[in-house]
Structures are given as structure tokens and as C-alpha cells.
Amino acid sequence: MSAHRTTLLVCGEPERGDDAAAAAAVAALPPLVATRVTIVHCGQLEVDHLLAVPDGARCIVVDAAVGVAPGTIVTIPLADVAVRTGGGAPRSSHTMPPDQAISLAAALRGRPPEGTFVGIGGRAFGIGAAFSPEVAAALPLLVDRLVEEILRPHG
């Protein structure tokens, strides 16, 4: 098992409806689980966020995604996200898709970062929007999936 803590990269804008789902799920993590990770609220996933994860450490990227049915939870190894292109891949609701940021970080590091992308399909991303009904109903499932990923052995 790695001696490094897992880094949880929390993406999203709190004022943009479903885009706030990642932050809401992380805020709802049980305290004993939350203490097992380093939480980084990064807004939009950038290459620098991935490069800051120590070698040998694992990261979990959590974000709302488009291209996934609203309220659906997806978990994808980061190495797989790095090679996904086209219409079949879930995409972040932000400008630089996670596959591009992860691919670039992999090229700069010589390998993809260890970890997973945990996403929730979103529908309402307007400024000032509330959670869509699908995302509001699925938030407990997103919390459960994050707990599973945080507690899953690795290394």
C-alpha cells in the first residue's frame, strides 16, 4: 500500500446547479472517511492539479459530467479516461475535458496518474440553478461511491 495519502480533486462551480454536486458530495462524506484523503477544491481540473499528486499516490477526480444520463454515477480509471475520445466518453462540464488534462499529465509524468474519475451526470448548469431532480436524488449514491473509492485498497 502506498505511503502517500489519496488526493481527492473536487471539480465544479458551486453557483452552477449540478456542477456543485462534487462539492456537495464531499461535504457529506463521513468525517472518518474524509480524514483519509487530501481534499483539493480545484474548480476546473487542470494539468497542474494532477502533476501535484505525489508519485506513487492515488487521486480521485470527482465532477459533474455531460454525456451521461442525469443522476447516473460513473467510475472510470484515470488511465482509461486519458485514452477516451469522442462521443462515448463522459465529459466534464468545464472547458478542458478531463481526458485532455489527464493525457497531458500522463505525457509529462511518463505514465497516467493512478486513480479514478467519479462523475455524476448533470443536466442543469446555469448560473444560479438548483440541482436537477435527478442529481438531487442521486447525491447519496455519489457519496457512497466516493466512500467506496476512498476505502478501496490500492498501491
Side-chain angles (χ1 to χ4, degrees), residues 11-113:
C11 303
E13 283 297 322
E15 301 298 319
R16 293 186 61 220
D18 292 344
D19 207 28
V26 169
L29 286 173
L32 289 176
V33 174
T35 62
R36 297 181 70 152
V37 293
T38 300
I39 299 170
V40 178
H41 290 271
C42 57
Q44 178 177 326
L45 182 65
E46 301 285 347
V47 174
D48 290 343
H49 296 123
L50 296 162
L51 294 177
V53 175
D55 282 340
R58 177 175 68 141
C59 71
I60 300 168
V61 177
V62 59
D63 198 2
V66 294
V68 176
T72 300
I73 311 297
V74 294
T75 306
I76 306 166
L78 291 180
D80 292 351
V81 174
V83 297
R84 286 178 175 238
T85 58
R91 300 175 312 281
S92 166
S93 60
H94 304 286
T95 306
M96 182 178 224
D99 60 321
Q100 291 177 6
I102 295 165
S103 293
L104 186 52
L108 293 170
R109 286 184 103 146
R111 66 188 174 336

Side-chain angles (χ1 to χ4, degrees), residues 114-135:
E114 180 185 343
T116 52
F117 172 84
V118 178
I120 183 168
R123 181 169 53 86
F125 294 101
I127 294 175
F131 286 133
S132 66
E134 299 91 342
V135 168

